[in-house]
Amino acid sequence: MLSEHEERRFNGIARQLTESDPELAARMRAQLARRVSVPERRMRRWHTLVIVLSVVSALVCLTCSHAGAAPSAVPALTLAGATFLIRRRRFPTQQSRHGV
């Protein structure tokens, strides 16, 4: 946390930077906007892991089962699809996040 005085000085420096080199200021803002927090990265990895394991499980069910037992893959595919949709909603792509 910055003190009031430090925050005023920081804002003044930021204003000067924006006025003197708007292109650099825009690149710095874009860089900060792309940064992802550690918990968010960890949650994305867990979502990806669940999706991959669900799809692999479904494929194993489909290849190892008899012709009539193919419905055993449905729960795994459902879990993979639901996790994919949740991940997509919770972590939008960079393009949709920044309106590009």
Side-chain angles (χ1 to χ4, degrees), residues 8-63:
R8 277 196 305 272
R9 288 190 68 199
F10 176 78
N11 288 336
I13 292 169
R15 239 186 337 275
Q16 288 174 349
L17 174 65
T18 302
E19 291 168 1
S20 67
D21 195 349
E23 187 178 316
L24 175 63
R27 282 192 316 227
M28 290 176 69
R29 271 195 300 274
Q31 181 84 16
L32 285 173
R34 281 193 300 268
R35 292 184 68 188
V36 178
S37 68
V38 172
E40 184 176 337
R41 239 188 342 250
R42 200 172 287 142
M43 186 60 72
R44 281 184 185 191
R45 286 184 185 142
W46 277 109
H47 279 106
T48 303
L49 180 65
V50 169
I51 292 168
V52 169
L53 290 177
S54 298
V55 169
V56 168
S57 174
L59 291 174
V60 168
C61 288
L62 288 173
T63 56

